Amino acid sequence: QVQLVESGGGLVQPGGSLRLSCVISGGTSRQYTIGWFRQAPGKDREFVGAVRGSGGNTYHYTDSVKGRFTISRDNAKNTVYLQMNGMNPEDTALYYCAAGQPILSQLRAETSYWYWGQGTQVTVSS
């Protein structure tokens, strides 16, 4: 059974940084595409970014975080990171990581991912 556990959330001031971690157990992380999603209060869950697995190792981001957020993967630790810089209040949300093997055209779809973490709260506020 593949399990994902996020950590690293918290309160940060506008312009600040946080790094989220997603530890994958019960499977080899590099065989999966790992996606990051977020859900703000009263809004639908949305795609943030993803790193493709199975040798693809390409990175994809939604437009609103490009240039500010960076995903990285440490296969030895079965961990994927989401480095968030230049944060603003619109980044406030519950952040989830998820694992699956979506085709490229379905990378941003929640339904493409089989396993999900429990989420970690990120709040950007002064």
Side-chain angles (χ1 to χ4, degrees):
Q1 178 76 11
V2 176
Q3 293 185 323
L4 293 87
V5 178
E6 304 97 335
S7 62
L11 174 65
V12 63
Q13 293 188 341
S17 298
L18 276 178
R19 188 178 78 160
L20 305 183
S21 299
C22 174
V23 178
I24 300 98
S25 61
T28 304
S29 66
R30 62 176 175 269
Q31 73 183 94
Y32 295 106
T33 290
I34 304 300
W36 285 95
F37 292 79
R38 65 185 181 185
Q39 187 168 23
K43 294 187 177 181
D44 293 334
R45 190 154 55 184
E46 65 171 353
F47 174 82
V48 174
V51 53
R52 299 195 74 196
S54 298
N57 219 39
T58 55
Y59 298 83
H60 306 264
Y61 301 93
T62 195
D63 286 348
S64 63
V65 308
K66 281 181 182 176
R68 300 189 299 124
F69 290 11
T70 303
I71 295 171
S72 60
R73 174 192 286 250
D74 186 336
N75 289 329
K77 295 183 178 179
N78 262 6
T79 301
V80 174
Y81 302 99
L82 178 65
Q83 177 68 43
M84 304 184 291
N85 299 326
M87 299 182 72
N88 57 61
E90 289 71 38
D91 296 319
T92 295
L94 188 59
Y95 282 72
Y96 300 88
C97 62
Q101 292 178 336
I103 59 175
L104 185 57
S105 63
Q106 296 299 313
L107 198 67
R108 298 165 186 261
E110 292 182 53
T111 53
S112 297
Y113 294 84
W114 305 324
Y115 309 105
W116 290 80
Q118 81 289 349
T120 185
Q121 179 65 41
V122 171
T123 302
V124 184
S125 175
S126 56

